[in-house]
Amino acid sequence: MRMKVLITTIAAAGFLTGSALAQEGTLKKIKDSGAITIGHRESSVPFSYYDDKQKVVGYAMDLCNKIVDAVKANLKLAKLEVKLQPVTSATRIPLIANGTIDLECGSTTNNLDRQKQVSFTITHFVTANRFVSKKSAKLKKVDDLKGKTIVSTSGTTNIKQITEINTEKNLGLTILPAKDHAEAFLMVETGRAAAFVMDDILLFSLVASSKAPKDYEISADALSVEPYGIMLRKDDPAFKKVVDDAMTAVYKGGEINKIYEKWFQKPIPPKAVNLNLPMGAAFKKVVAKPTDSGDPKVY
């Protein structure tokens, strides 16, 4: 009899623990606090950045606002406060993992390695890893960088890849880490680095917004394919479903076309630069068939 009571007690305790854990997700956190915290970048144009009025704007921010609306509706909240938290390439994953931020809205590559620490929603852009340099330096291919000082942003897949390529090809590169993309580009602008290795769309944006866009060129060599995704905490299926459903609705309902056009085919703040970048074939494929895959081969 005692054994039966003990087993029943243990089973009940297990059930209660499971129920408690099921209620500890992001949706409960948001409902209890009445707030959702969004991590944003400071200079990832046009995805997530400060405009000239110090307002956080961008393509990824517009998509995150759609997600916030869906979360608010799902939780049946009359009001939902949106808190903004700046993040860097180095801090974004830890701040998602430790619960400081609920969504990271920027230019973060979704890959299989990162999926061990965090989750990603539906891919919102597909880019490639390249490098920018001054035309006068005549650096066309990766091999042309041999013996040079190059820069990439700390905490990115790009700095990891160029470090691996440096070892594989024995290029003898001096690789400098920058705290953000703006600082890295400035190092090329001022001659402290010969090239900046980064996702081509970010390089394209930095060149277009620079003092002398015609002075720079972006390599034809693509070092990798980079699918971008909005980050959220791992192992939280209830929250991920709300987020994924919101993104899929934006794609299937056609809203994505207006949002994309606004940031990539029209003048954007702060300098009213038009990136003139039509939607690429790889991303059109995602819009038609939404995926959160971190495998570059899918794209």
Side-chain angles (χ1 to χ4, degrees), residues 239-292:
F239 184 56
K240 180 163 167 53
K241 185 177 188 314
V242 174
V243 174
D244 286 355
D245 286 353
M247 289 288 286
T248 301
V250 169
Y251 288 10
K252 295 295 185 186
E255 274 187 284
I256 187 62
N257 297 313
K258 286 183 182 176
I259 297 171
Y260 186 95
E261 190 180 315
K262 173 184 171 184
W263 292 102
F264 295 96
Q265 295 182 285
K266 289 184 176 178
I268 59 172
K271 297 178 181 176
V273 170
N274 188 336
L275 299 178
N276 284 313
L277 192 69
M279 193 181 287
F283 186 52
K284 280 183 180 176
K285 185 178 162 188
V286 175
V287 171
K289 194 176 178 182
T291 178
D292 64 354

Side-chain angles (χ1 to χ4, degrees), residues 37-80:
T37 304
I38 290 178
H40 67 87
R41 302 301 296 274
E42 295 179 294
S43 61
S44 285
V45 182
F47 296 91
S48 175
Y49 64 103
Y50 287 120
D51 67 8
D52 49 343
K53 296 171 186 171
Q54 288 299 290
K55 183 183 175 187
V56 184
V57 298
Y59 171 70
M61 293 302 296
D62 280 3
L63 292 172
C64 272
N65 288 333
K66 295 291 181 185
I67 294 169
V68 169
D69 290 344
V71 170
K72 184 181 171 186
N74 178 272
L75 295 174
K76 298 179 172 61
L77 296 172
K79 192 171 73 170
L80 179 57

Side-chain angles (χ1 to χ4, degrees), residues 65-265:
N65 288 333
K66 295 291 181 185
I67 294 169
V68 169
D69 290 344
V71 170
K72 184 181 171 186
N74 178 272
L75 295 174
K76 298 179 172 61
L77 296 172
K79 192 171 73 170
L80 179 57
E81 183 188 357
V82 177
K83 295 181 178 178
L84 297 174
Q85 168 74 45
V87 300
T88 66
S89 298
T91 65
R92 58 191 169 179
I93 290 176
L95 291 176
I96 277 282
N98 71 16
T100 301
I101 59 175
D102 302 311
L103 294 168
E104 189 268 337
C105 309
S107 51
T108 300
T109 298
N110 173 8
N111 61 34
L112 301 177
D113 191 46
R114 283 178 174 165
Q115 284 182 10
K116 294 172 187 172
Q117 304 174 72
V118 294
S119 279
F120 290 85
T121 186
I122 308 301
T123 296
H124 64 265
F125 196 82
V126 184
T127 184
N129 187 13
R130 303 181 196 268
F131 65 85
V132 67
S133 59
K134 287 186 175 174
K135 283 180 183 174
S136 57
K138 296 181 177 160
L139 304 174
K140 307 286 185 186
K141 299 176 294 185
V142 173
D143 289 343
D144 295 338
L145 298 175
K146 194 175 179 87
K148 305 284 186 190
T149 295
I150 64 114
V151 63
S152 191
T153 309
S154 178
T156 61
T157 53
N158 314 77
I159 199 166
K160 183 171 178 277
Q161 284 166 358
I162 196 61
T163 301
E164 289 167 356
I165 289 167
N166 184 37
T167 303
E168 285 166 19
K169 290 179 166 276
N170 195 26
L171 294 174
L173 300 175
T174 299
I175 302 170
L176 303 176
K179 74 176 174 67
D180 59 27
H181 308 321
E183 181 183 82
F185 187 75
L186 183 64
M187 290 171 78
V188 174
E189 203 170 33
T190 56
R192 285 180 288 159
F196 170 26
V197 177
M198 186 41 58
D199 301 338
D200 57 9
I201 177 57
L202 298 176
L203 297 179
F204 193 80
S205 301
L206 288 161
V207 168
S209 304
S210 69
K211 295 169 190 169
K214 291 178 182 176
D215 288 356
Y216 302 93
E217 65 181 339
I218 295 166
S219 66
D221 271 10
L223 313 184
S224 68
V225 174
E226 307 280 326
Y228 285 174
I230 290 164
M231 276 196 297
L232 53 152
R233 268 179 292 289
K234 194 172 167 60
D235 301 324
D236 193 342
F239 184 56
K240 180 163 167 53
K241 185 177 188 314
V242 174
V243 174
D244 286 355
D245 286 353
M247 289 288 286
T248 301
V250 169
Y251 288 10
K252 295 295 185 186
E255 274 187 284
I256 187 62
N257 297 313
K258 286 183 182 176
I259 297 171
Y260 186 95
E261 190 180 315
K262 173 184 171 184
W263 292 102
F264 295 96
Q265 295 182 285

